[in-house]
Amino acid sequence: MRQPQILVVDDEAGLRAMIEDYLTLQGFAVLQAGNGAALDRVLATTRPDVIVLDVNMPGEDGLTILSRLRATGHRAGIVMLTANADEASRLAGLTNADDYIVKPFELRELVARLRAVLRRLPPRPAEPRRENTLALGPCRLDLDGRQLFGADGLEIEVSAMEFDLLETFARHPRQILSRERLCELAHGRSLGAGDRSVDIRITRLRRKIEADPARPAILLTMRGEGYLFDPAV
């Protein structure tokens, strides 16, 4: 199960560290930022579920940051932290925030508030599936589906052992690999004396992926040494 991710934004480094230590023990993944600029750097690469945001920070204060985040469409839950408990600050904070907690506070209370906010958040859209592929010249190896696709996007039929051999080449570009080493890497076994199975498979693969199998440009023969995959094609 995915850990809820919490971003703690406060100019007090000691408080941030204390919150991170406690929340981590409670099963949260925690990030820190000391001000609005640091917050923006975090948000450029991550999408926290909830932001714990201090109101009273030098420079850009928490309420200004809150308004800016909501205006630009950030959908993270936001829990405001402040030492000011008067009703005006409470109402201002709750205008766009999901909750509000006054310093000093019990860390158990913060956890309870965070879990309540998480329950109220709409389901997060699924992350787009990242294609797990390797390039092999103009071709593409789909590692999850164990399929080979040509430059035109059409599937090229290969056997399981042929695919293992192609994956080995793709993971070792520009490296001379002996027949024995290829057999160990691709098939997990030693090559027996007189066993020409690797050569036979490479000949078959060249017919499938080379523009001219008689003059290979992708899977090259290195005389007396073995084979080499050239990714520059």
Side-chain angles (χ1 to χ4, degrees):
M1 180 181 294
R2 176 182 172 276
Q3 287 180 299
Q5 190 172 72
I6 311 299
L7 172 57
V8 181
V9 186
D10 196 297
D11 61 307
E12 297 180 47
L15 179 61
R16 294 198 311 269
M18 182 177 67
I19 292 174
E20 178 175 2
D21 289 345
Y22 190 80
L23 293 185
T24 300
L25 290 174
Q26 301 302 313
F28 296 94
V30 184
L31 301 168
Q32 293 188 29
N35 52 42
L39 163 71
D40 292 339
R41 288 193 293 271
V42 174
L43 294 181
T45 58
T46 61
R47 291 194 304 159
D49 298 290
V50 181
I51 300 172
V52 178
L53 179 59
D54 185 36
V55 171
N56 300 302
M57 291 189 293
E60 190 179 24
D61 64 64
L63 293 178
T64 303
I65 293 172
L66 169 63
S67 297
R68 176 165 64 82
L69 291 177
R70 292 312 193 206
T72 53
H74 281 282
R75 300 193 177 189
I78 296 181
V79 175
M80 305 298 294
L81 295 181
T82 186
N84 188 348
D86 66 68
E87 192 64 20
S89 291
R90 185 180 296 273
L91 291 175
L94 286 175
T95 300
N96 289 307
D98 295 278
D99 207 343
Y100 185 99
I101 187 168
V102 178
K103 298 177 180 178
F105 54 85
E106 291 284 341
L107 289 171
R108 288 177 298 177
E109 180 185 2
L110 176 60
V111 169
R113 301 288 186 95
L114 290 174
R115 286 177 174 156
V117 170
L118 287 166
R119 286 195 296 268
R120 296 197 299 267
L121 291 177
R124 173 175 288 195
E127 295 283 352
R129 179 180 178 271
R130 293 185 179 180
E131 199 172 46
N132 188 17
T133 63
L134 288 174
L136 192 95
C139 301
R140 176 174 56 86
L141 293 173
D142 178 352
L143 300 181
D144 292 331
R146 291 183 60 81
Q147 295 170 287
L148 171 68
F149 294 93
D152 56 5
L154 298 178
E155 183 179 358
I156 301 171
E157 289 191 11
V158 291
S159 69
M161 298 189 82
E162 287 172 346
F163 185 91
D164 291 339
L165 200 55
L166 288 175
E167 182 179 353
T168 299
F169 278 120
R171 293 191 185 279
H172 298 81
R174 298 189 180 92
Q175 295 183 36
I176 298 174
L177 299 173
S178 67
R179 293 169 179 81
E180 292 77 13
R181 184 63 176 151
L182 279 169
C183 196
E184 291 171 359
L185 291 172
H187 310 313
R189 64 176 180 83
S190 299
L191 192 67
D195 188 340
R196 307 299 295 177
S197 59
V198 169
D199 304 275
I200 292 169
R201 290 191 192 99
I202 289 175
T203 298
R204 290 174 180 167
L205 287 171
R206 282 172 170 165
R207 295 185 189 129
K208 297 177 182 182
I209 67 174
E210 298 278 4
D212 182 357
R215 301 178 64 184
I218 300 173
L219 301 182
L220 307 178
T221 298
M222 310 305 291
R223 297 293 179 188
E225 297 182 84
Y227 295 96
L228 178 145
F229 160 52
D230 184 356
V233 176

